[in-house]
Amino acid sequence: MILQATILLAGLSVTAGQGGSLCCPIPQFHAFQHVTIVNSTSSMRSLQSFIYDGDNQRYVISGDLNYDYIGTTKVIYDYNKRTGYRINTETRVCTTFPLRGNFKEQENVCVPNGAVSSGPLYYGYGQGRLASLSYSPTTVGGRHQAVVATVTKEGCFPIISTTTTTGGQGGNTLKVLGYAYIYPGNPDVTVFDIPSYCTM
C-alpha cells in the first residue's frame, strides 16, 4: 500500500529507452532492500537501507535491520568515479575498490533494453492489488546467469529480482533482491560524502 501511494505521489517520471534501459524508476529514491543469497556451502540474509541517486550515478547500502543493526558501516558505489568505498565511521577505516559494469545494470533497478517480457502479474488482491511486469534480460555480462526482474507497471519501480548463477565459486548460487517502503527523493545527501580518511 505504501508503495502504491508513493508511486502516485512521485509523479511517475519514468526514464524509458535511455542509456540502454527499457525503463528505470524516478532518478532518486530510497528504500529497504531485502537480500537473500544461497549456494551449496552457505546462505546469507540481510535487510539494508538502500539510497539510489541516478542523477549522479551512485548508490549507498548500509546497515542490517534484520538484527536491529543500523550500524556504522556503509558501502558507497560511485560510478562517476568508478570507485566503491567500504566505510566504517566508528573505527574510521575505509577501503576502496574498483567498480565494473554500467551503473544502470546494478542491483536490477533498471530493466535493460532487449529484456524479454514474462508477462503481467499482480501483487495483492482486489482494488489494492499492485500491477507489475516481469522481465528477463537476454544477456547478463557474458556469465552463466539467469535473471528475472519484476517492476511496477506504473513507474517501473523494482519489486523483486532473482539471479541464478551456475558454476560460480561455491557452486550454483541464487540471489534474491526484494525492495520495500520505496519513497521518492533522497532525504540526506550527506550519506554520499567521502570522509577524509578514505584514500585511493
Side-chain angles (χ1 to χ4, degrees):
M1 198 59 159
I2 291 174
L3 178 60
Q4 289 170 303
T6 302
I7 291 169
L8 292 173
L9 294 173
L12 303 177
S13 59
V14 181
T15 306
Q18 296 178 4
S21 297
L22 184 65
C23 77
C24 289
I26 58 175
Q28 295 183 327
F29 68 90
H30 58 285
F32 290 126
Q33 184 188 65
H34 190 277
V35 183
T36 302
I37 301 174
V38 180
N39 63 28
S40 57
T41 59
S42 64
S43 64
M44 184 276 286
R45 294 181 64 197
S46 65
L47 180 63
Q48 307 165 144
S49 169
F50 179 80
I51 300 174
Y52 184 83
D53 181 2
D55 289 336
N56 296 295
Q57 295 198 9
R58 59 189 182 176
Y59 62 94
V60 62
I61 295 174
S62 62
D64 186 351
L65 304 175
N66 276 339
Y67 302 100
D68 295 326
Y69 175 65
I70 303 300
T72 58
T73 303
K74 65 181 177 181
V75 183
I76 299 171
Y77 299 82
D78 190 330
Y79 275 79
N80 278 332
K81 297 178 181 175
R82 308 296 296 173
T83 303
Y85 304 85
R86 192 171 288 107
I87 302 165
N88 187 316
T89 56
E90 187 174 54
T91 61
R92 296 176 60 83
V93 172
C94 174
T95 56
T96 62
F97 53 94
L99 296 179
R100 294 176 176 80
N102 298 316
F103 172 73
K104 288 191 175 181
E105 295 172 355
Q106 307 308 311
E107 305 298 313
N108 295 334
V109 170
C110 292
V111 176
N113 274 336
V116 177
S117 174
S118 305
L121 56 118
Y122 296 93
Y123 282 85
Y125 176 75
Q127 290 184 337
R129 68 184 184 174
L130 182 62
S132 60
L133 298 167
S134 219
Y135 293 95
S136 296
T138 52
T139 58
V140 186
R143 293 169 289 180
H144 299 286
Q145 290 187 335
V147 178
V148 178
T150 303
V151 298
T152 58
K153 187 175 180 180
E154 291 187 73
C156 195
F157 285 92
I159 300 173
I160 192 167
S161 69
T162 59
T163 303
T164 307
T165 305
T166 56
Q169 289 183 343
N172 300 340
T173 303
L174 172 65
K175 179 180 181 179
V176 181
L177 293 178
Y179 292 88
Y181 298 102
I182 298 174
Y183 294 92
N186 290 331
D188 182 8
V189 295
T190 63
V191 297
F192 292 104
D193 291 349
I194 308 300
S196 58
Y197 52 83
C198 278
T199 56
M200 298 293 286

